[in-house]
């Protein structure tokens, strides 16, 4: 493991991860320090009810991210890493009616 870094990012939420990614793309040697066992901060997902059912644990409305310049720039790399958005077939209005 390297011990010299050009940048150290404290916190592995999405803002820290995006910052680290752009620095690394430019050739910086970056260390991300995350105090939790999992990366993702408040946009993490996980099994909160039944096994196999994955929920947003905190933040749940990520629609604006899909239209962001960052997502447009990174979507191919993120897709290769396994990121995918699951869209519900039903809207809130359909559920209520
Ligand atoms: C309950 C809830 C619901 C939300 N709903 C929405 C929503 O629907 N739509 C939306 O757009 N936004 C929502 N948000 C806001 C959104 O989640 C945050 O704006 C976003 O997560 C901020 O990202 P971040 O990377 O800046 O910080 P965070 O996601 O908070 O990540 C910070 C990371 O830094 C780590 N950290 C902190 N201090 C240290 C330290 N000293 N050493 C090491 N690691 C450290 C933390 O463990 C964490 O992983 C919600 C937030 C919450 C809490």
């Amino acid at each position: 493991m390297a011990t010299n870094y050009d940048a150290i990012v404290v916190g592995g939420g999405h803002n820290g991860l995006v910052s680290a990614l752009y620095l690394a793309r430019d050739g910086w040697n970056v260390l991300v320090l995350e105090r939790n066992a999992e990366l993702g901060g408040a946009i993490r997902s996980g099994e909160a009810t039944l096994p196999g059912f994955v929920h947003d644990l905190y933040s749940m409305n990520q629609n604006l991210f899909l239209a962001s310049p960052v997502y447009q720039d990174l979507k191919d790399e993120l897709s290769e890493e396994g990121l995918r958005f699951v869209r519900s077939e039903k809207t809130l209005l359909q559920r209520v009616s």
Side-chain angles (χ1 to χ4, degrees):
M1 186 171 147
T3 53
N4 291 320
Y5 299 97
D6 302 311
I8 297 175
V9 176
V10 179
H14 73 119
N15 283 318
L17 293 175
V18 167
S19 303
L21 193 152
Y22 275 105
L23 292 171
R25 265 184 169 186
D26 276 356
W28 290 40
N29 190 23
V30 184
L31 174 68
V32 177
L33 297 175
E34 170 52 54
R35 66 181 169 192
N36 284 323
E38 294 180 349
L39 296 169
I43 63 165
R44 278 175 291 162
S45 56
E47 293 179 353
T49 54
L50 299 172
F53 287 87
V54 179
H55 302 266
D56 296 311
L57 298 177
Y58 311 100
S59 165
M60 44 68 69
N61 187 352
Q62 313 298 342
N63 298 345
L64 292 178
F65 178 65
L66 291 174
S68 71
V70 166
Y71 181 66
Q72 297 308 312
D73 189 31
L74 299 178
K75 64 182 176 185
D76 291 340
E77 289 166 72
L78 294 173
S79 176
E80 285 172 16
E81 295 296 330
L83 178 72
R84 65 188 180 95
F85 288 89
V86 179
R87 293 171 187 262
S88 169
E89 291 177 12
K90 297 188 183 297
T91 66
L92 183 60
L93 288 176
Q94 286 172 313
R95 270 189 228 125
V96 170
S97 60

